[in-house]
């Protein structure tokens, strides 16, 4: 007896989230037990609005699956949508009516913290109402802040973008004979994992970034200026990496004045921490000061993706399908690091209730005592995650991605 | 009888300027007529300060030449230094004394507008003072604003970065169900070539950027808001590409309030045009508005370089050496487009006096009448320049570049 399944994506984009989608589709279309695999457009909203595509139809050949694996952002679109807290809300009935009508026996949700909350609620509803459907979460986030998993898909590629960009910025910085301070702002609201990855840019001739500031440690303007001046005494060109979410001793974001409100989850929309610091530095030191925001390319530039990351993301998707077949539900898949050198990882899973609405920050001992750099342990953790380069297909000088006409209308 | 030669780099970085340097070195070390090829550190300042490296020594094997070809920014460092206008200034005597002392018979200067002015002055001094040395200019600039050449090395790679980034940003933008305006700021002070390249991101499913604004056409806030609102009527997510240097009808930069002074050539230091426009749009339309500055990665991200660009840059370096051997001096090498389809280019040269201190803007007829887009002619000109991907060597997930320890001290 065959059944249908449905998959959706939610939260912020990464370069690896489509690779997980490709993994689910690949496993589903190759399974004799599956009739159709649907894709809900704009996360769970597609289920609520009857807005979906037939993925079994769109991805019949390996070529399209392989193109999806190297397509950035989210083929199915996203949403930032919280389900009602009350499970008796008609929302839930509507969702499960849709599942029943479409003969859907498995729902896969690829997302971060907030999406795992949706998975937890739907799984609970299914259990409490005896619904015959498996609900599984597949992690993704460039922030690497999900608990229960060694790291998150999407993080390795973003980390590789950050590390390569810091190396390129170093080459761009050292060319002038005059002293300079360059401040690079990296994504990360409450967790500094991505900013920590800037330290991977260091090599035999490049010691920068010279100072690294993470949200895990309160930022002192006084100590920062002291450290900067000390560094400028021994080094002509100083490069500083900061998380967008660093806060001062009073818990205020550096960019507080520049805040542009909150998103629909109530998170502050950040941006401008580097600009704020640029102004501070300009008043304190007498040299060229510039700030650079690495911006959305951190999460969407496929040409900097990590093959290790994309392959793990694909494998998570495939494994999610297999676990659903085995009857698992209410879980989030996880990545385990089985060996550090050589790096070996495997796929496992955990109860999604252990994951939802929690945030994993960097352990304090992976940050140096002064709070302006990371330790060798941190670097050892990061290094394997950026390994390998995916093979992109280019046409007329640009990468070939999956057609997303269904989103651009 | 063998002689020595010297090469230097000046102005802003590009991903292709080291490829031209590699071309000069490759030709020189393989010539039996050359004893040593020196590299002056920090442009002409290295000659004035006796600060140089022995490149024949550093680049004895093909491997190091090939690594230099894919190293971004400037291996020899840069300067923004104007020679005295008066040729009787002791600066010139000092420079030519250095050349004589080191038995240097050829000087190659890789740079943009301002660097070609240096080449012109040195060539004139040599001629008027019967100095036995050839002075040659090799063009580079991401701005593509040098006259006398079909395009400039460095531009194709920057254009490819811009086009790929706009495609990635499109994938990042269309995922949400809600209307949005994304403003992308691209480098270009007075010439909009690089911003025009954003249009290459359009394909069968992506029509963005939807509006493109270049410095060649005065920017009207009134017409812009009208066009934006019209676009938002038919399209949910609007992406706008603007040059950092767009000016309003009164000749004021959009970012005037944000200007951070002038550089040592008296050029305004721009930045913040997108931010200024973001504020304008926020007051006029009721949807999510964000601005993205593509920043220095445009000129330094080797992973987005164009092979066509790097190969032409290398060939310019080789040809410069050959032309010096043939006795040419006071010239700048140029690229000619011999055929459009298939694209074929060749190297030529022109009197540097025809180049220095001139700027090539986009012809008005390559911009649409309304001044908010480019024409098919513009696109046909741009397309071949971004073709091909260089082969980078990766180690531990990061590209391997030439060691620039001589600059980072």
């Amino acid at each position: 007896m065959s059944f249908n399944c449905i998959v959706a994506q939610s939260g912020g984009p990464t370069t690896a989230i489509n690779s997980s989608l490709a993994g689910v589709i690949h496993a589903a279309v190759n399974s004799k037990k599956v009739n159709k695999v649907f894709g809900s457009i704009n996360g769970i909203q597609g289920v609520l609005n009857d807005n979906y595509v037939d993925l079994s139809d769109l991805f019949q050949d390996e070529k399209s699956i392989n193109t999806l694996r190297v397509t950035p952002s989210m083929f199915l679109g996203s949403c930032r949508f919280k389900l009602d807290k009350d499970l008796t809300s008609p929302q839930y009935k509507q969702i499960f009516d849709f599942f029943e009508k479409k003969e859907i026996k498995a729902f896969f949700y690829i997302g971060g913290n907030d999406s795992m909350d949706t998975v937890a609620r739907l799984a609970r509803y299914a259990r409490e109402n005896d619904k015959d459907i498996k609900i599984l979460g597949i992690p993704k986030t460039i922030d690497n802040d999900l608990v229960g998993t060694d790291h998150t898909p999407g993080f390795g590629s973003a980390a590789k973008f950050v590390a390569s960009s810091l190396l390129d910025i170093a080459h761009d910085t050292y060319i002038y004979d005059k002293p300079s301070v360059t401040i690079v702002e990296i994504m990360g609201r409450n967790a500094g994992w991505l900013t920590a990855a800037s330290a991977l840019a260091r090599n035999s001739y490049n010691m920068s970034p010279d100072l690294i500031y993470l949200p895990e440690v309160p930022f002192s303007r006084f100590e920062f200026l002291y450290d900067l001046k000390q560094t400028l005494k021994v080094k002509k060109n100083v490069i500083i990496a900061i998380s967008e979410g660093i806060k001062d001793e009073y818990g205020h974001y550096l960019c507080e004045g520049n805040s542009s409100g909150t998103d629909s989850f109530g998170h502050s929309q950040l941006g401008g921490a580097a600009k704020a610091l640029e102004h501070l530095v300009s008043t304190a030191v007498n040299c060229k000061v510039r700030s650079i925001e690495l911006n959305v390319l951190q999460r969407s530039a496929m040409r900097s993706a990590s093959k290790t990351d994309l392959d793990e993301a694909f494998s998570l998707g495939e494994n999610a399908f297999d676990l659903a077949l085995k009857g698992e539900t209410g879980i989030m898949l996880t990545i385990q690091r089985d060996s550090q050198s050589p790096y070996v990882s495997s796929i496992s899973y955990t109860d999604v209730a252990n994951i939802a609405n929690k945030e994993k920050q960097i352990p304090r001992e992976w940050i140096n005592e002064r709070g302006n750099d990371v330790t060798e342990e941190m670097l050892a953790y990061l290094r394997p995650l950026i390994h390998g380069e995916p093979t992109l297909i280019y046409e007329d000088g640009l990468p070939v991605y999956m057609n997303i006409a269904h989103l651009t209308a």
Side-chain angles (χ1 to χ4, degrees), chain A residues 167-168 170-171 174 201-208 210 235:
Chain A
L167 183 56
D168 287 334
H171 277 261
Y174 292 116
R202 293 178 188 149
N203 60 28
S204 63
Y205 60 86
N206 171 44
M207 299 299 115
S208 71
D210 307 288
K235 201 158 173 287

Side-chain angles (χ1 to χ4, degrees), chain A residues 8 24 107-112 115-120 123 134-140 146 316-317 319-320 323 328-334 348-352 355:
Chain A
V24 172
F107 172 64
F108 304 96
Y109 212 27
I110 317 175
S115 315
M116 292 311 136
D117 183 62
T118 299
V119 170
K134 312 301 170 205
I135 314 280
L136 293 93
I138 300 170
K140 73 84 216 169
L146 291 181
L316 280 169
N319 276 271
L323 286 166
E328 293 293 341
T329 187
I331 60 164
M332 183 188 85
L333 284 87
T334 60
S348 186
Y349 59 92
T350 183
D351 187 333
V352 73
I355 307 294

Side-chain angles (χ1 to χ4, degrees), chain A residues 80-200:
Chain A
R80 293 208 177 265
F81 183 81
K82 255 187 181 335
L83 289 179
D84 290 336
K85 281 198 175 161
D86 182 356
L87 294 192
T88 63
S89 151
Q91 248 179 12
Y92 293 92
K93 186 174 180 323
Q94 197 187 335
I95 290 169
F96 283 87
D97 282 353
F98 175 90
F99 290 156
E100 262 165 52
K101 196 180 73 189
K102 296 286 170 196
E103 293 170 21
I104 288 166
K105 301 290 180 197
F107 172 64
F108 304 96
Y109 212 27
I110 317 175
N113 278 317
D114 297 307
S115 315
M116 292 311 136
D117 183 62
T118 299
V119 170
R121 285 173 205 274
L122 292 177
R124 190 149 65 86
Y125 182 93
R127 196 173 60 238
E128 291 176 3
N129 295 275
D130 275 330
K131 298 292 180 187
D132 177 24
I133 178 168
K134 312 301 170 205
I135 314 280
L136 293 93
I138 300 170
K140 73 84 216 169
T141 164
I142 61 164
D143 293 330
N144 200 37
D145 60 353
L146 291 181
V147 300
T149 184
D150 178 76
H151 56 279
T152 57
F155 171 66
S157 293
K160 185 169 179 142
F161 180 93
V162 167
S164 331
S165 296
L166 263 287
L167 183 56
D168 287 334
I169 288 170
H171 277 261
D172 191 274
T173 298
Y174 292 116
I175 58 170
Y176 292 113
D177 201 20
K178 293 173 185 161
S180 68
V181 175
T182 301
I183 302 157
V184 184
E185 178 177 325
I186 297 158
M187 284 179 168
R189 192 182 282 122
N190 299 314
W193 299 101
L194 205 49
T195 304
S198 65
L200 294 174

Side-chain angles (χ1 to χ4, degrees), chain A residues 361-405:
Chain A
Q361 291 196 305
I362 300 179
R364 184 59 185 83
E365 62 270 24
W366 287 10
I367 303 170
N368 72 348
E369 213 184 310
R370 190 138 178 90
N372 63 13
D373 206 341
V374 296
T375 66
E376 177 51 37
E377 260 178 311
M378 173 90 244
L379 289 169
Y381 166 84
L382 292 170
R383 267 187 208 107
L385 308 182
I386 68 165
H387 264 228
E389 293 71 47
T391 308
L392 303 195
I393 310 137
Y394 281 85
E395 220 174 82
D396 295 331
L398 290 175
V400 175
Y401 297 147
M402 278 304 292
N403 186 320
I404 51 162

